[in-house]
């Protein structure tokens, strides 16, 4: 209980409460007319001019109820509690209903500390009026009920807005993670390929000048693909086109990873099982996982001559295994300095699958992913 009370006391107020807007001035003008009208229309009310003057004096507190809610409550309820000492009885103006707006604002915009202190001020005012005989028991109980309803409404809207803000923050975080994965799996893949080709071309150019020309051709092709995929991502971001409708690679594009390269290890792709009815998100995830695994192997597998990509499908799941025959390197993932394995694990998890990577049983590095067909 003590921890709960301390958390309420230490709770900060909402950030950047809205400043005064035209509605506040309309509210001020409206309540002013109501107060003046009630004073003029109730000649039987004792000390009606004094009560009206007190109401008009504290009415401007509605203008800073959001930025200074505790001060507004303290001024308004303090004045309403002390003014009856002059007249000897309750002021009796129904127009004082505007203090409900202040009570609402206290719990909507105030900090936890301000809410506790303000609620205490309100309770003290009501109990003081009851003890001094300015209010009867029924009026006091009714006042507590009405003020509780106003404060409860303010607290409910406050926490509803906070929950909505948390949801928006979570959506933004997920969107940032998705963009990071897409950029890494598309543009970063092609840039990595260009770096590998450029390094290989520079290393072999003195002995084989044609290798530099071949490297430039590959770099040009990879740059064109990177530009095309970047434009696709930008199109999705700038238009209302859903990401699912944007051109994305699938299971049939896995064969494009295969090939016998003059520089670096060869890539062999083997697909077994029925993949005709595989959903597009699963196919895209498989391709991206295989693509990233092949890129990592070509960059980090020392003295590797072959990379194998195996896909096996059954009735319930699809299994991907990418392995190389490079030298054993148990710290390869830790030294890469990138986010490839993190993105691969996230991508597999988004479709209900798993992805693991580690040293192979004999040599090299092995990536294994299991994705559901549904």
């Amino acid at each position: 209980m003590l921890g709960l009370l301390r958390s309420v006391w230490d709770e900060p107020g909402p950030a950047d409460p809205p400043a005064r807007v035209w509605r506040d001035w309309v509210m001020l003008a409206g309540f002013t007319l109501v107060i003046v009208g009630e004073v003029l229309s109730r000649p039987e009310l004792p000390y009606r001019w004094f009560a009206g003057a007190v109401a008009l004096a504290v009415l401007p507190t509605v203008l800073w109820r959001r930025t200074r809610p505790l001060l507004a409550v303290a001024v308004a309820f303090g004045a309403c509690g002390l003014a009856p000492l002059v007249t000897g009885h309750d002021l009796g103006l129904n127009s004082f209903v505007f203090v409900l707006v202040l009570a609402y604002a206290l719990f909507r915009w105030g900090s936890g500390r301000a809410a506790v202190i303000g609620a205490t001020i309100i309770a003290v005012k009501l109990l003081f009026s009851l003890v001094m005989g300015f209010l009867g028991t029924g009026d006091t109980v009714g006042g507590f009920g009405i003020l509780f309803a106003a404060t409860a409404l303010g607290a409910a809207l406050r926490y509803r807005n906070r929950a909505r803000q948390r949801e928006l923050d979570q959506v933004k975080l997920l969107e940032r993670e998705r963009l990071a994965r897409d950029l890494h799996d598309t543009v970063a893949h092609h840039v990595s390929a260009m770096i590998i080709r450029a390094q290989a071309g520079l290393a072999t150019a003195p002995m084989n000048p044609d290798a530099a020309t071949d490297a430039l051709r590959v770099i040009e092709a990879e740059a064109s693909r990177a530009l095309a995929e970047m434009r696709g991502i930008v199109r999705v971001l700038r238009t209302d086109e859903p990401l699912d409708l944007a051109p994305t690679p699938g299971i049939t594009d896995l064969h494009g990873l295969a090939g016998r390269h003059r520089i670096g290890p060869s890539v062999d792709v083997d697909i077994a099982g029925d993949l005709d009815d595989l959903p597009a998100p699963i196919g895209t995830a498989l391709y991206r996982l295989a693509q990233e695994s092949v890129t990592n192997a070509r960059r980090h597998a020392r003295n590797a001559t072959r990379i194998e990509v195996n896909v096996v499908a059954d009735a319930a799941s699809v299994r991907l295994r990418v392995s190389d025959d490079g030298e054993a390197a148990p710290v390869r993932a830790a030294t890469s300095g990138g986010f490839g394995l993190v993105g691969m694990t996230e991508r597999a998890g988004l479709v209900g699958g798993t992805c693991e990577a580690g040293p192979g049983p004999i040599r090299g590095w092995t990536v294994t992913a299991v994705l559901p067909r549904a």
Side-chain angles (χ1 to χ4, degrees):
M1 178 62 71
L2 183 61
L4 177 61
L5 294 177
R6 182 173 299 174
S7 65
V8 172
W9 180 265
D10 295 334
E11 181 182 357
D16 301 324
R20 287 189 291 271
V21 296
W22 63 269
R23 292 187 298 273
D24 297 324
W25 297 103
V26 171
M27 180 186 299
L28 180 67
F31 276 118
T32 300
L33 294 177
V34 170
I35 293 170
V36 173
E38 184 176 7
V39 170
L40 294 176
S41 62
R42 297 182 63 185
E44 77 285 356
L45 185 66
Y47 299 96
R48 55 177 176 147
W49 296 108
F50 176 77
V54 173
L56 292 176
V58 300
L59 179 59
T61 55
V62 300
L63 296 177
W64 26 279
R65 68 188 185 279
R66 289 186 289 263
T67 55
R68 297 290 186 272
L70 178 58
L71 181 60
V73 166
V75 170
F77 283 86
C80 292
L82 296 177
L85 294 176
V86 177
T87 62
H89 54 77
D90 186 63
L91 298 181
L93 277 184
N94 297 327
S95 307
F96 275 105
V97 70
F98 71 82
V99 297
L100 294 177
V101 178
L102 304 181
Y104 160 85
L106 175 67
F107 280 76
R108 175 64 180 89
W109 301 107
S111 64
R113 184 172 308 180
V116 172
I117 297 175
T120 303
I121 293 174
I122 295 173
V124 168
K125 186 270 176 189
L126 291 175
L127 293 176
F128 177 76
S129 298
L130 176 63
V131 171
M132 297 298 295
F134 301 144
L135 289 177
T137 303
D139 293 335
T140 302
V141 173
F144 268 113
I146 295 174
L147 287 168
F148 176 79
T151 56
L153 177 61
L157 291 180
R158 175 199 187 104
Y159 290 109
R160 177 178 176 273
N161 184 74
R162 179 173 296 179
R164 182 172 179 271
Q165 187 60 45
R166 283 198 298 266
E167 292 178 358
L168 292 177
D169 293 340
Q170 183 67 18
V171 169
K172 292 178 182 178
L173 178 60
L174 294 175
E175 184 69 7
R176 291 180 61 180
E177 292 177 351
R178 182 185 66 82
L179 290 175
R181 282 192 302 270
D182 290 340
L183 288 173
H184 186 278
D185 294 344
T186 56
V187 179
H189 166 75
H190 297 299
V191 173
S192 298
M194 287 187 281
I195 293 174
I196 295 171
R197 288 296 182 175
Q199 292 172 342
L202 290 174
T204 58
M207 298 173 293
N208 184 6
D210 292 338
T213 303
D214 292 340
L216 288 175
R217 291 194 181 97
V218 174
I219 290 173
E220 180 187 14
E222 293 290 345
S224 299
R225 296 190 190 100
L227 182 60
E229 296 201 14
M230 176 62 80
R231 285 173 175 169
I233 294 175
V234 172
R235 184 178 65 254
V236 171
L237 295 176
R238 287 190 171 272
T239 64
D240 295 331
E241 178 183 356
L243 183 63
D244 294 340
L245 300 182
T248 54
I251 195 69
T252 57
D253 297 294
L254 280 175
H255 293 287
L257 300 175
R260 304 285 175 177
H261 304 280
R262 181 179 301 180
I263 302 173
S266 62
V267 180
D268 296 329
V269 177
D270 180 51
I271 301 176
D274 182 15
L275 296 171
D276 293 338
D277 60 344
L278 193 68
I282 304 297
T284 299
L286 276 172
Y287 177 84
R288 293 304 187 194
L289 293 173
Q291 180 189 50
E292 179 63 21
S293 301
V294 170
T295 299
N296 288 340
R298 292 183 62 82
R299 291 189 63 184
H300 304 295
R302 298 173 57 186
N303 300 323
T305 61
R306 183 177 180 180
I307 302 172
E308 295 182 353
V309 179
N310 296 295
V311 178
V312 179
D314 56 31
S317 62
V318 181
R319 298 177 179 271
L320 169 69
R321 185 176 185 272
V322 181
S323 59
D324 62 75
D325 60 355
E327 297 180 3
V331 296
R332 184 191 302 177
T335 59
S336 63
F339 301 94
L341 294 179
V342 175
M344 292 166 66
T345 303
E346 291 177 349
R347 186 176 289 277
L350 286 175
V351 293
T354 60
C355 181
E356 299 177 352
I362 301 177
R363 291 175 57 86
W365 194 263
T366 300
V367 176
T368 304
V370 180
L371 306 183
R373 293 188 66 99

